[in-house]
Amino acid sequence: MENPRPPGEIDRYRRAFVGVAAMGLAATQFTTVRPAKAQGVSALNGATTERSTAASFALRQIDAGLLNVGYAEAGPPNGPVVILLHGWPYDIHSFVDVAPLLAMAGYRVLVPYSRGHGTTHFLASQTVRNGQQSVLAVDVIELMDALKIGVAIVAGYDWGARTACIIAALWPERCKALVSVSGYLIGSLAANRMPLPPKAELQWWYQYYFATERGRAGYEQYRRDFANLIWRIASPEWDFDDATFDRSASCLDNPDHVSIVVHNYRWRLGLAQGEPQYDGLEKRLAESPVITVPTITLEGDANGAPHPDSSSYAKKFPGRYAHRIITGGIGHNLPQEAPRAFAQAVIDVGKY
């Protein structure tokens, strides 16, 4: 194992990546990093990545399937690919400190905005604003095809973790390995119809809010206040500042955002229809397929959002598998709250 880069060099490298540089900067700045296999635990333990607030990603756009996808890219173009998938109500800046660590380890890092977020937009005005679970995974496969990527490590949290799990389950030939916060999150409409104990139902209050037209109108009007409240509930010990929140909250201004979010939660409850062309995928997902690719699941020790106990899903990963609890008051937005732990999981699972 090679010696880690000194902290000062890592800080300069991160600023070059996330600063307001031209789009081509990442491609030129990240071509001399060491191979991924040469980096390990000691490399990330030796790194210091302070939380950035003013810094942001330089974005690219590409047509992929039904969408024009906005995404950030870093690292050597010929490196092993990692796709980082964000959740709701968050955005790609959840990975603003993860991406440079992975790029320094030799990975080509892609961080796309999901449909209804940021600069990702539909190519046709008549396309159904569909938020069902399988569609979000199809979007990622379409992005991989557009970028001519055959296989990638897929990693995410919240909606992004569910999407990553679906890709690993339905397209294992495209998924080298998986990192999933809160484990196995593939949903079933039949299971969603079953009531939970009242205390558990209370945690899903916003799901029922979105089921009403009052809720849709309320989210449309107060989406930033709503997102800020979710951030604080889901990560009760994360002391994020206004600049950090505002940087991500701009993604909520996407004109399709409310439609995608409301459809997602209504579809989960069986209150909105999916599209027939995805029925086959949903049928396979309803069978709760196992995930055979190498996997590491993560959980923060202070996750305030609804999440399953790891014992309930461990058997869903019959291949090489590990579960890690990340301590220190880490909440739901784990990659942004504990970037080194998340990056380390990606590097480790890539060695399986």
Side-chain angles (χ1 to χ4, degrees):
M1 184 178 300
E2 297 183 3
N3 293 327
R5 294 172 183 248
E9 183 178 349
I10 289 177
D11 290 343
R12 290 194 301 273
Y13 197 94
R14 182 187 61 75
R15 287 194 295 269
F17 170 58
V18 300
V20 287
M23 282 186 182
L25 180 61
T28 58
Q29 291 276 345
F30 288 70
T31 55
T32 59
V33 295
R34 297 184 177 96
K37 291 183 178 179
Q39 300 292 332
V41 175
S42 65
L44 295 195
N45 285 344
T48 58
T49 57
E50 77 274 5
R51 305 294 186 269
S52 56
T53 55
S56 188
F57 286 113
L59 292 178
R60 303 180 180 188
Q61 300 287 143
I62 189 170
D63 289 350
L66 300 174
L67 304 170
N68 178 268
V69 178
Y71 69 101
E73 179 171 350
N78 60 345
V81 178
V82 178
I83 300 176
L84 305 177
L85 302 175
H86 70 83
W88 170 86
Y90 307 94
D91 82 328
I92 62 175
H93 290 97
S94 291
F95 302 105
V96 75
D97 292 316
V98 173
L101 290 171
L102 294 177
M104 286 197 63
Y107 287 95
R108 180 186 178 190
V109 185
L110 302 174
V111 195
Y113 275 116
S114 65
R115 57 170 58 193
H117 294 75
T119 61
T120 291
H121 61 271
F122 288 88
L123 295 173
S125 59
Q126 67 270 26
T127 302
V128 176
R129 273 36 179 179
N130 183 346
Q132 71 185 99
Q133 62 176 355
S134 61
V135 171
L136 300 178
V138 170
D139 288 346
V140 177
I141 296 297
E142 296 279 13
L143 176 62
M144 292 175 68
D145 290 345
L147 292 172
K148 297 180 171 54
I149 294 169
V151 64
I153 297 173
V154 186
Y157 70 101
D158 194 79
W159 285 24
R162 178 175 295 106
T163 299
C165 286
I166 292 171
I167 293 168
L170 298 187
W171 293 277
E173 72 280 3
R174 306 296 298 272
C175 183
K176 181 179 186 294
L178 168 69
V179 173
S180 176
V181 177
S182 298
Y184 187 92
L185 296 179
I186 295 174
S188 162
L189 290 181
N192 287 345
R193 294 190 187 101
M194 301 300 293
L196 300 172
K199 186 176 181 180
E201 295 282 15
L202 180 62
Q203 291 186 299
W204 289 105
W205 64 271
Y206 53 88
Q207 181 170 243
Y208 303 113
Y209 183 63
F210 291 151
T212 69
E213 284 307 299
R214 176 186 174 92
R216 181 189 180 97
Y219 189 51
E220 182 75 62
Q221 183 174 353
Y222 300 110
R223 64 182 83 175
R224 291 199 178 207
D225 292 339
F226 197 100
N228 192 285
L229 176 62
I230 294 295
W231 279 37
R232 295 187 186 282
I233 292 172
S235 299
E237 297 186 33
W238 181 29
D239 188 23
F240 59 88
D241 58 20
D242 290 343
T244 297
F245 176 77
D246 291 342
R247 180 183 57 187
S248 290
S250 63
C251 85
L252 309 177
D253 297 331
N254 184 297
D256 298 307
H257 178 76
V258 173
S259 294
I260 295 298
V261 171
V262 168
H263 184 267
N264 178 283
Y265 285 106
R266 290 184 181 182
W267 178 85
R268 294 192 202 189
L269 293 176
L271 301 176
Q273 295 296 313
E275 293 182 88
Q277 63 264 41
Y278 305 112
D279 285 352
L281 296 178
E282 295 295 348
K283 182 178 180 180
R284 293 171 63 189
L285 295 175
E287 297 171 352
S288 298
V290 297
I291 293 175
T292 58
V293 304
T295 299
I296 293 177
T297 57
L298 304 173
E299 191 61 80
D301 64 341
N303 186 358
H307 60 278
D309 186 88
S310 61
S311 63
S312 69
Y313 55 72
K315 292 183 179 179
K316 290 296 183 181
F317 303 102
R320 299 201 63 180
Y321 171 67
H323 179 71
R324 298 176 180 177
I325 301 293
I326 310 304
T327 60
I330 304 304
H332 192 59
N333 186 3
L334 192 148
Q336 194 164 2
E337 298 175 61
R340 283 184 288 179
F342 192 90
Q344 190 64 65
V346 171
I347 291 171
D348 290 345
V349 82
K351 297 175 181 179
Y352 280 5

